[in-house]
Amino acid sequence: MHWIALIIVGFAIGALGRVFHPGPDPMGWLTMFGLGIASLVIAGALFSSDVLQFVIGIIVAVVLVAIYGRVAHSTREIGPT
């Protein structure tokens, strides 16, 4: 049951991270979903309180979305020559 909750909350965290990050995001739903789960794993490793994990998970998701946006944007500009 823990894995199902991780997937559902990870999707919500990824969506909130995408909402709170301003500007266009060059990512699909699966990437957003993966970033949400990754942010929950990071927050879960740092804190034991569920509420604190959720809040820190959102903050980490915003940071991960920003990093992904920068990396994806820079690789699209290079392209083949």
Side-chain angles (χ1 to χ4, degrees):
M1 196 64 175
H2 178 71
W3 290 102
I4 295 171
L6 178 70
I7 290 170
I8 293 170
V9 175
F11 187 74
I13 293 284
L16 287 172
R18 195 170 181 180
V19 166
F20 289 137
H21 181 261
D25 293 320
M27 72 178 71
W29 289 98
L30 289 176
T31 306
M32 179 192 67
F33 175 64
L35 290 177
I37 290 179
S39 66
L40 275 182
V41 169
I42 292 169
L46 297 175
F47 300 100
S48 61
S49 169
D50 289 337
V51 174
L52 198 53
Q53 284 179 2
F54 187 78
V55 172
I56 298 300
I58 293 172
I59 294 169
V60 171
V62 170
V63 170
L64 289 177
V65 166
I67 291 171
Y68 180 83
R70 301 258 179 181
V71 170
H73 183 69
S74 67
T75 57
R76 275 193 286 144
E77 286 182 356
I78 295 173
T81 56

